[in-house]
Amino acid sequence: MTTPDRHAPALLAEQRALLFDLDGVLTPTADVHMRAWSRLFTPYLAEHGVAPYTEQDYYTYVDGKPRYDGVRSLLTARGIDLPEGTPDDGPDEDTVCGLGNRKNAAFTAELEENGVAPYPGSLRFLEAAIAAGYEVAVVSSSANAKQVLRTAGILDRFPVVVDGAVAREDGLAGKPAPDTYLDAAGRFGLTAAQCVVVEDATSGVAAGRNGAFGLVVGVDRGAGADALREHGADRVVTDLADLLPDLRPAPSSVPPRKTA
């Protein structure tokens, strides 16, 4: 069900590119991430005798953030101070990076065991947007974005993928900084005002607001409509198919692309 928001339909029709977060927007990998974070922090926090890990911790401290930032945020909330370490730390090392790498191993195991498929409504909207001539990109904090897109069978839809690996290589700050989204817009030769940010995390919609994007759409998969609006969403939906009536031929001289 779509929640009415300010002038969003008109703005959507004026944009030239759609910049999608991945987890919780295109694919239900948020569920995979949630299970992986739980596999990491449930025993770890119990060993330290602090408040147990809860599902709300995922939304409050880690959702939408680069992996090491998520580890650092949750540990800080529990009063646990660890050395930073380096990205080369093994998953058994008691450092921020070590714990982050342990979480990544848990995520890979979850993905291999259970696979992932796109949300049906998201796939319908994506295909309709491409047919209408919009440029599309994935902007994800996850270093596993291409693996997830490939597993879901939609990697070939996206000429631009700015993920956690790209952000590290290019020195781009993670969400809620707008840097990764601005980088994706620039790869199309577009300004932020010409692009739509589509996010399910409060840190992600904040990135859209901080970058002055033309429209920020929040997809409420659990963060809460009010929280998404408070952090920067112009419009909140519960399924991307809700946006189908607002699509118009993109204002571009480039002919609409056909889906593979």
Side-chain angles (χ1 to χ4, degrees), residues 10-101:
L11 279 173
L12 179 60
E14 294 168 5
Q15 308 312 305
R16 293 181 57 186
L18 294 156
L19 312 180
F20 297 93
D21 179 41
L22 175 59
D23 305 331
V25 171
L26 295 174
T27 59
T29 31
D31 296 339
V32 184
H33 280 290
M34 289 174 73
R35 292 194 299 271
W37 283 107
S38 182
R39 282 170 71 158
L40 168 67
F41 275 124
T42 297
Y44 188 84
L45 296 183
E47 290 169 7
H48 284 73
V50 296
Y53 180 77
T54 68
E55 182 175 305
Q56 188 56 46
D57 286 326
Y58 173 81
Y59 293 111
T60 303
Y61 300 113
V62 304
D63 188 21
K65 296 179 182 178
R67 190 188 329 139
Y68 300 142
D69 289 351
V71 170
R72 199 179 304 107
S73 294
L74 196 142
L75 291 178
T76 298
R78 292 299 197 276
I80 299 173
D81 185 21
L82 291 183
E84 184 70 13
T86 72
D88 294 329
D89 285 355
D92 294 329
E93 295 192 49
D94 203 22
T95 63
V96 169
C97 291
L99 288 181
N101 293 342

Side-chain angles (χ1 to χ4, degrees), residues 21-260:
D21 179 41
L22 175 59
D23 305 331
V25 171
L26 295 174
T27 59
T29 31
D31 296 339
V32 184
H33 280 290
M34 289 174 73
R35 292 194 299 271
W37 283 107
S38 182
R39 282 170 71 158
L40 168 67
F41 275 124
T42 297
Y44 188 84
L45 296 183
E47 290 169 7
H48 284 73
V50 296
Y53 180 77
T54 68
E55 182 175 305
Q56 188 56 46
D57 286 326
Y58 173 81
Y59 293 111
T60 303
Y61 300 113
V62 304
D63 188 21
K65 296 179 182 178
R67 190 188 329 139
Y68 300 142
D69 289 351
V71 170
R72 199 179 304 107
S73 294
L74 196 142
L75 291 178
T76 298
R78 292 299 197 276
I80 299 173
D81 185 21
L82 291 183
E84 184 70 13
T86 72
D88 294 329
D89 285 355
D92 294 329
E93 295 192 49
D94 203 22
T95 63
V96 169
C97 291
L99 288 181
N101 293 342
R102 192 183 312 175
K103 182 268 172 181
N104 194 52
F107 175 83
T108 300
E110 289 280 353
L111 190 63
E112 291 176 351
E113 291 166 12
N114 301 301
V116 70
Y119 291 107
S122 296
L123 184 59
R124 286 172 57 206
F125 179 73
L126 172 64
E127 292 179 340
I130 292 172
Y134 289 84
E135 297 291 353
V136 294
V138 166
V139 180
S140 172
S141 297
S142 173
N144 302 302
K146 287 188 176 180
Q147 178 188 6
V148 171
L149 290 166
R150 189 177 296 110
T151 300
I154 56 174
L155 178 60
D156 62 335
R157 307 302 207 273
F158 296 98
V160 169
V161 177
V162 179
D163 61 8
V166 171
R168 282 198 302 274
E169 290 171 6
D170 294 349
L172 302 174
K175 306 168 189 178
D179 301 39
T180 49
Y181 276 112
L182 292 171
D183 183 78
R187 290 170 189 250
F188 290 126
L190 299 174
T191 66
Q194 294 173 300
C195 300
V196 181
V197 166
V198 188
E199 269 281 357
D200 73 314
T202 55
S203 59
V205 295
R209 179 183 61 188
N210 293 338
F213 282 83
L215 178 67
V216 181
V217 174
V219 185
D220 185 10
R221 307 285 191 191
D226 290 343
L228 290 169
R229 287 194 197 89
E230 179 184 344
H231 284 82
D234 298 304
R235 187 174 190 188
V236 177
V237 298
T238 55
D239 192 294
L240 286 187
D242 294 337
L243 296 173
L244 284 168
D246 302 330
L247 281 177
R248 302 289 186 275
S252 169
S253 60
V254 180
R257 292 189 289 119
K258 294 182 179 180
T259 57

